[in-house]
């Protein structure tokens, strides 16, 4: 188990849970971040936000927020 | 629930609401339904744009209300509240929910939230072409059967499906039973029992379904919680609260249930090819556009290209409007009005015409800027710039989407303010709108650079550095002020969809461009004209020259205040002139120091807009001898932070449509200017 922001570019994982305040959880959920959803790390570089792909959508997420998403790395 | 639609449903006829997540094609569909019959205003009492329009089909007129594009209907943002309250309070005759066929699961989330609300729903399944290209096939009949409401497949960009949509709307209203069987998003067994318990405790409201209220309570929706608490006897509320507290994870359960429902209804109706669309969507250009290093110069290059394009469009016309052509018009006015009272002639020739003329010249430039911003937004690049700019913007408390407007502002504050339009939430938008003019535009650098060079010669770069440091502090301070007093919610980090690139839709771009230019003509120019007249009156009355005018008198009257800042009355008046336009402060100083009689011009507006040609070197030597270095520094700082120009104020009004914000921002800049002047003077007095 790890957090979304620690995935490397190209890695695939499955969302396990979301932590943080209700506002974040509700915003993230509406964007498709729910438990059991597969997510692909598209870009994790530099100090800026990360870029992931889930539910047919490219989503940018601030690094701080990505640390609130627990994921289970899946073997490629 | 508080938001009312401006008398929309009071009139007879039918009301259609358009809902949908961002980038699903809502604007495109709205434009195609309503054509030119659109009205843009604000939601009553809010600084959120409300677009309404209408169309007629077989003799019946339908009003269309474009709801703000949001990802969900929880009480997360003002936009979400507006959409939700509109559907609940105004119960539109039909709600059309747009869904993106290429991103079906996610975009259906909003549909899952709208379905339990009281209005009948039609699903517009848009972007069918992209779905097809990506090898997704959707069996519309199966999907329709499973969801239980009419579904219209569409390719809105090519007008496919619009007619069917209109017919479906008509049928839906005519034969009410058509839409009566939406299969509501299911919730698991445990939640169902829980919901039943909650339902027992809440009052049977007349308009809202208790199902929906119970769901929202379980979700922990603060708005619904408050209302229920207010309407329940204390004892019952405590019982309810107890249940809810035991199920704090209710939110995730409900969200999960919605996605489960989505999966259930799409299963068997949608088949996806095995190929991952992720890599297909992320092409070479996107890799550069989102690159942590290369993305920044690309964004800057695109903005420079935007300015260059705007200038190329404006260049041939500009000289006609400003300077030459305007002077011809002014002289013609003077000749034509020979014999009329001199104040009247001056009001037109020195006040109104130069003011409006300058604004008109501006308008073309803005038009071109809108064209570029509209283009960049339509093709989907904007989100990429936001992505790479977020690092810098978040330090100021701004959203990544503020990056392009703030960059634009470096060229021209008016364009920056108008560009804040692209920011999604009203809080961030207002913040961008207020902060964009603090960024110095090219004209500010021109004037400030000129003064700094006259007074400080080789030390001018030092002054520039001091200005830049003060600027960063001031921007951050403003960000903090917003956080403390205006933005009530916790700051949230970037969470943004990067939509797929689209071919430009020129109709949408044109509508964007023209709509905003028109808004600026109506609101912005009116303000510019009005303000020009006021400034003219202040600097002309009662005797027809600036020294003895109200303004001059006022300048001398507040000289004691000016003394603290180190500005004598002439510099104070020049500072005021710089608020109308930065270039004007030079001309004004020229007159006030007796260097130019202001040939044929004896009021401030004449100087501001009349493009008086005064030798800069003459001003330089004259001012140099009569102003102390500390005062000069104070003036440079004050001018740097003061209201950028009348056009900017007009732009703030045009975009916010709110006097409160316009006047508030103006006061804020003025205070900032005086304070910066004061600081500079005090520090300057110590060292210079
Ligand atoms: N390929 C394709 N593009 C579309 C379709 N509908 C809209 N677009 C484009 O998608 C982009 C977003 O559309 P817009 O109407 O601005 O979406 P909104 O954010 O929901 O208002 C624009 O570039 C449109 O031209 C469609 O059916 N097919
Ligand atoms: Mg739109």
């Amino acid at each position: 188990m790890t957090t979304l922001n620690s995935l490397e570019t190209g890695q695939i994982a499955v969302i396990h849970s979301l932590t943080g305040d209700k506002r974040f959880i509700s915003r993230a959920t509406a964007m498709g971040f729910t438990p059991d959803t597969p997510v692909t790390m598209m870009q994790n570089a530099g100090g800026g936000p990360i870029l992931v792909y889930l539910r047919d959508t490219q989503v940018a997420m601030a690094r701080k927020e990505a640390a609130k998403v627990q994921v289970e790395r899946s073997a490629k | 629930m508080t938001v009312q639609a401006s008398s929309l449903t009071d009139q007879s006829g039918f009301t259609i609401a358009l809902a949908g997540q961002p980038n699903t094609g809502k604007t495109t569909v709205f434009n195609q339904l309503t054509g030119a019959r659109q009205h843009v205003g604000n939601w009553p009492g809010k600084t959120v744009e409300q677009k309404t329009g209408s169309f007629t089909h077989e003799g019946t007129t339908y009003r269309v209300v474009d709801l703000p594009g949001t990802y969900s209907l929880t009480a997360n943002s003002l936009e979400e509240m507006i959409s939700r309250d509109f559907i609940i309070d105004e119960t539109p005759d039909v709600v059309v929910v747009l869904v993106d066929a290429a991103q079906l699961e996610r975009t259906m989330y909003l549909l899952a939230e709208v379905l339990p609300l009281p209005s009948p729903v039609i699903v517009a399944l848009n972007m069918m072409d992209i779905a097809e290209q990506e090898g997704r096939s959707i069996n519309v009949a199966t999907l329709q059967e499973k969801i239980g409401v009419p579904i219209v497949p569409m390719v809105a960009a090519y007008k496919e499906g619009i007619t069917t949509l209109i017919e479906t709307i008509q049928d839906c209203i005519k034969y009410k039973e058509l839409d009566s069987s939406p299969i509501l998003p299911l919730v698991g067994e445990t939640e169902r029992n829980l919901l039943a318990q909650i339902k027992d405790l809440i009052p049977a409201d007349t308009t809202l379904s208790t199902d929906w209220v119970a769901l929202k309570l379980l979700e922990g929706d603060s708005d619904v919680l408050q209302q229920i608490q207010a309407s329940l006897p204390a004892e019952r509320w405590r019982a309810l609260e107890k249940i809810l507290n035991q199920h704090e994870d209710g939110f995730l359960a409900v969200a999960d249930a919605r996605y489960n429902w989505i999966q259930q209804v799409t299963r068997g109706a949608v088949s996806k090819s095995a190929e991952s669309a992720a890599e297909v969507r992320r092409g070479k250009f996107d890799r550069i556009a989102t690159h942590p290093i290369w993305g920044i110069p690309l964004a800057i290059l695109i903005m420079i290209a935007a300015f260059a394009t705007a200038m190329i469009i404006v260049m041939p016309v500009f000289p006609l409007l400003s300077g030459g052509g305007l002077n011809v018009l002014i002289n013609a006015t003077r000749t034509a009005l020979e014999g009329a009272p001199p104040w009247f002639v001056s009001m037109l020739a020195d006040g109104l015409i130069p003011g409006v003329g300058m604004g008109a010249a501006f308008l073309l430039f803005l038009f071109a800027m809108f064209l570029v911003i509209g283009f960049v937004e339509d093709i989907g690049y904007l989100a990429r710039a936001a992505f790479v700019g977020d690092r810098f913007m978040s330090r100021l408390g701004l959203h990544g989407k503020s990056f392009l407007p703030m960059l634009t502002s470096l060229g021209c504050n008016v364009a920056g303010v108008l560009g804040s339009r692209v920011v999604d939430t009203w809080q961030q938008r207002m913040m961008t709108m207020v902060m964009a003019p603090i960024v110095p535009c090219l004209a500010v650098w021109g004037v400030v650079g000129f003064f700094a060079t006259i007074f400080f010669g080789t030390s001018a770069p030092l002054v520039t550095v001091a200005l830049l440091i003060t600027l960063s502090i001031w921007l951050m301070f403003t960000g903090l002020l917003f956080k403390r007093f205006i933005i009530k919610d916790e700051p949230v980090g970037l969470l943004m969809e990067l939509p797929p690139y689209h071919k430009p839709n020129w109709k949408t771009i044109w509508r964007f461009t023209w709509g905003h230019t028109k808004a600026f003509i109506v609101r912005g120019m009116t303000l510019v004209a009005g303000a020009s007249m006021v400034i003219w009156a202040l600097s002309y009355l009662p005797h027809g020259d600036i020294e003895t005018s109200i303004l001059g008198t006022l300048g001398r009257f507040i000289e004691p205040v000016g003394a603290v800042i180190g500005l004598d009355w002439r510099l104070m008046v020049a500072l005021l002139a710089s608020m109308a336009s930065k270039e004007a402060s030079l001309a004004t100083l020229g007159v006030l120091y007796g260097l130019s009689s202001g040939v044929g011009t004896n009021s401030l507006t004449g100087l501001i807009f009349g493009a008086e040609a005064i030798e800069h070197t003459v001003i330089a030597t004259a001012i140099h001898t009569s102003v102390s270095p500390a005062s000069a520094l104070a003036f440079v700082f004050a001018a740097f932070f003061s209201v950028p120009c009348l056009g900017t104020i007009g732009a703030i009004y045009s975009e916010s449509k709110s006097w409160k914000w316009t006047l508030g921002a103006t006061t804020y800049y003025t205070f900032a200017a005086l304070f910066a002047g004061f600081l500079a003077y005090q520090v300057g007095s110590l060292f210079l």
Side-chain angles (χ1 to χ4, degrees):
Chain A
M1 185 93 70
T2 177
T3 52
L4 186 58
N5 61 323
S6 53
L7 289 184
E8 274 159 40
T9 305
Q11 279 187 331
I12 299 175
V14 172
I15 297 178
H16 176 265
S17 57
L18 305 174
T19 54
D21 58 309
K22 207 175 253 160
R23 240 171 95 73
F24 165 68
I25 294 181
S26 114
R27 282 193 333 138
T29 323
M31 288 285 247
F33 291 82
T34 50
D36 299 331
T37 309
V39 21
T40 313
M41 177 62 73
M42 308 282 292
Q43 180 176 306
N44 187 354
I50 58 156
L51 195 58
V52 297
Y53 190 86
L54 84 167
R55 291 189 197 272
D56 302 323
T57 311
Q58 277 193 66
V59 181
M61 191 186 243
R63 210 156 273 281
K64 214 174 66 213
E65 255 74 34
K68 298 179 191 160
V69 182
Q70 270 78 44
V71 297
E72 195 83 64
R73 250 192 215 107
S74 42
K76 186 124 201 203
Chain B
M1 306 206 168
T2 44
V3 176
Q4 308 282 316
S6 49
S7 68
L8 267 170
T9 39
D10 309 344
Q11 305 153 38
S12 60
F14 299 108
T15 303
I16 317 295
L18 264 186
Q21 288 195 345
N23 307 311
T24 48
K26 224 156 51 68
T27 306
T28 313
V29 171
F30 180 75
N31 286 342
Q32 278 169 2
L33 281 178
T34 61
R37 293 159 74 180
Q38 298 186 0
H39 172 79
V40 183
N42 272 5
W43 289 89
K46 315 271 168 198
T47 37
V48 175
E49 187 178 276
Q50 181 195 48
K51 274 200 301 193
T52 56
S54 66
F55 67 91
T56 307
H57 178 69
E58 293 186 352
T60 311
T61 301
Y62 301 85
R63 265 177 295 283
V64 186
V65 182
D66 191 22
L67 299 178
T70 58
Y71 288 97
S72 74
L73 288 185
T74 24
N76 270 331
S77 68
L78 191 58
E79 283 76 10
E80 289 173 330
M81 290 295 289
I82 288 174
S83 296
R84 183 166 113 184
D85 290 353
F86 183 79
I87 299 177
I88 292 172
D89 295 343
E90 310 287 328
T91 43
D93 297 286
V94 172
V95 181
V96 175
V97 180
L98 270 137
V99 160
D100 179 346
Q103 315 184 38
L104 198 58
E105 270 181 33
R106 200 207 69 223
T107 53
M108 273 178 70
Y109 190 80
L110 187 76
L111 173 67
E113 289 208 84
V114 175
L115 277 180
L117 294 177
S119 288
V121 170
I122 295 174
V123 177
L125 184 60
N126 196 27
M127 311 265 180
M128 287 300 277
D129 55 334
I130 298 184
E132 198 171 312
Q133 274 165 34
E134 293 184 347
R136 303 157 199 275
S137 79
I138 300 174
N139 186 332
V140 177
T142 313
L143 195 61
Q144 174 163 319
E145 195 179 305
K146 285 190 161 180
I147 299 180
V149 299
I151 299 183
V152 182
M154 300 182 73
V155 185
Y158 302 109
K159 259 194 136 152
E160 278 173 39
I162 290 288
T163 321
T164 320
L165 179 63
I166 291 175
E167 281 162 3
T168 313
I169 290 172
Q170 186 191 27
D171 288 351
C172 200
I173 288 172
K174 238 200 232 156
Y175 317 105
K176 292 250 179 214
E177 65 274 19
L178 256 191
D179 55 71
S180 58
S181 57
I183 295 147
L184 292 184
L186 294 172
V187 184
E189 199 56 44
T190 23
E191 283 83 24
R192 219 190 301 247
N193 289 336
L194 204 60
L195 282 176
Q197 280 179 42
I198 296 174
K199 256 166 68 177
D200 281 343
L201 286 166
I202 54 180
D205 196 289
T206 41
T207 48
L208 290 174
S209 82
T210 45
D211 280 329
W212 187 78
V213 173
L215 211 60
K216 281 287 148 189
L217 285 175
L218 187 57
E219 261 191 302
D221 187 296
S222 54
D223 185 54
V224 175
L225 274 168
Q226 261 172 29
Q227 284 182 47
I228 295 297
Q229 179 172 14
S231 68
L232 277 185
E235 212 164 297
R236 236 163 115 179
W237 168 250
R238 267 195 297 278
L240 183 61
E241 211 178 14
K242 203 172 139 207
I243 299 181
L244 294 177
N245 283 342
Q246 281 164 1
H247 297 273
E248 282 209 306
D249 58 345
F251 180 81
L252 268 180
V254 174
D256 220 34
R258 290 200 185 106
Y259 280 114
N260 283 341
W261 170 78
I262 291 171
Q263 240 143 40
Q264 233 173 71
V265 295
T266 51
R267 192 175 302 144
V270 178
S271 68
K272 219 192 295 188
S273 72
E275 167 187 32
S276 159
E279 293 306 313
V280 177
R281 291 224 182 122
R282 196 164 151 76
K284 221 181 245 146
F285 178 77
D286 215 21
R287 278 174 209 280
I288 301 172
T290 56
H291 193 277
I293 295 162
W294 299 117
I296 306 268
L298 181 72
I300 293 172
L301 260 176
I302 287 178
M303 265 353 269
I304 291 176
F307 267 96
T309 314
M311 291 313 273
I312 289 168
I313 298 178
V314 173
M315 267 313 170
V317 202
F318 198 76
L320 283 179
L321 286 167
S322 72
L326 207 56
N327 282 342
V328 172
L329 184 64
I330 289 170
N331 289 335
T333 311
R334 284 190 206 284
T335 333
L337 291 178
E338 200 89 73
W343 68 264
F344 183 71
V345 179
S346 169
M347 184 178 77
L348 292 183
D350 301 328
L352 197 60
I353 299 177
V356 173
M358 203 55 193
F362 225 31
L363 212 56
L364 254 162
F365 174 74
L366 290 177
F367 177 83
M369 282 304 297
F370 275 134
L371 200 65
V372 178
I373 293 174
F375 178 82
V376 162
E377 191 192 21
D378 190 68
I379 62 167
Y381 171 71
L382 196 78
R384 275 71 183 178
F387 175 73
V388 291
D390 186 67
R391 256 184 295 167
F392 312 104
M393 292 300 111
S394 60
R395 264 176 230 167
L396 299 175
L398 290 172
H399 185 273
K401 284 213 174 154
S402 310
F403 185 51
L404 273 196
M406 293 296 269
L407 264 185
T408 312
S409 217
L410 283 170
C412 168
N413 286 170
V414 181
V417 168
L418 297 174
S420 66
R421 162 114 322 248
V422 299
V423 181
D424 300 313
T425 63
W426 84 272
Q427 294 182 331
Q428 291 291 335
R429 190 163 51 243
M430 297 319 281
M431 200 165 159
T432 313
M433 194 181 292
V434 171
M435 282 170 86
I438 298 178
V439 174
C441 69
L442 287 176
V444 170
W445 281 120
V447 170
V448 163
F450 173 71
F451 277 107
T453 323
I454 301 178
F455 286 110
F456 306 106
T458 49
S459 322
L462 250 155
V463 175
T464 310
V465 171
L467 281 171
L468 284 178
I469 293 174
T470 319
L471 173 69
S472 330
I473 296 174
W474 189 245
L475 279 174
M476 277 191 248
F477 176 75
T478 308
L480 285 179
L481 272 186
F482 258 89
K483 236 185 245 170
R484 178 81 182 72
F485 294 108
I486 294 170
I487 299 183
K488 301 270 154 52
D489 310 315
E490 274 295 293
V492 285
L494 186 77
L495 183 58
M496 175 185 65
E497 172 197 357
L498 266 61
Y501 289 105
H502 286 287
K503 266 192 254 138
N505 183 329
W506 294 106
K507 270 209 186 116
T508 310
I509 298 172
W510 168 251
R511 230 168 254 293
F512 176 92
T513 309
W514 175 234
H516 288 300
T517 311
K518 204 170 76 186
F520 186 75
I521 296 175
V522 175
R523 291 205 174 78
M525 292 285 279
T526 312
L527 191 143
V528 170
S532 310
M533 298 290 282
V534 170
I535 294 176
W536 168 82
L538 286 177
S539 61
Y540 184 85
L541 300 173
H543 300 304
D545 75 289
I546 192 167
E547 294 234 6
T548 59
S549 70
I550 302 173
L551 196 66
T553 316
L554 198 71
R556 269 178 280 244
F557 182 70
I558 57 167
E559 200 149 26
V561 181
V564 184
I565 308 170
L567 305 180
D568 67 4
W569 74 273
R570 294 185 187 89
L571 288 174
M572 286 295 268
V573 172
L575 185 65
L576 188 97
S578 84
M579 294 185 184
S581 102
K582 279 289 169 289
E583 298 85 340
S585 44
L586 284 179
T588 309
L589 281 174
V591 172
L592 292 179
Y593 282 95
L595 300 169
S596 114
S597 58
V599 210
T601 312
N602 37 20
S603 79
L604 200 50
T605 22
L607 292 171
I608 293 170
F609 301 112
E612 288 288 318
I614 305 169
E615 271 299 313
H616 284 185
T617 43
V618 180
I619 304 180
T621 33
I623 300 175
H624 204 352
T625 47
S626 49
V627 176
S628 78
S631 289
L633 192 68
F635 182 76
V636 166
F637 267 75
F640 190 79
F641 286 104
S642 81
V643 173
C645 65
L646 275 185
T648 308
I649 304 301
I652 294 180
Y653 181 54
S654 157
E655 274 308 300
S656 69
K657 305 183 191 76
S658 153
W659 281 111
K660 204 178 93 192
W661 278 91
T662 311
L663 295 177
T666 311
T667 313
Y668 183 68
Y669 305 139
T670 308
F671 166 77
L674 295 179
F675 187 67
F678 167 76
L679 277 185
Y681 185 61
Q682 297 306 323
V683 174
S685 304
L686 290 179
F687 294 104
L688 294 172

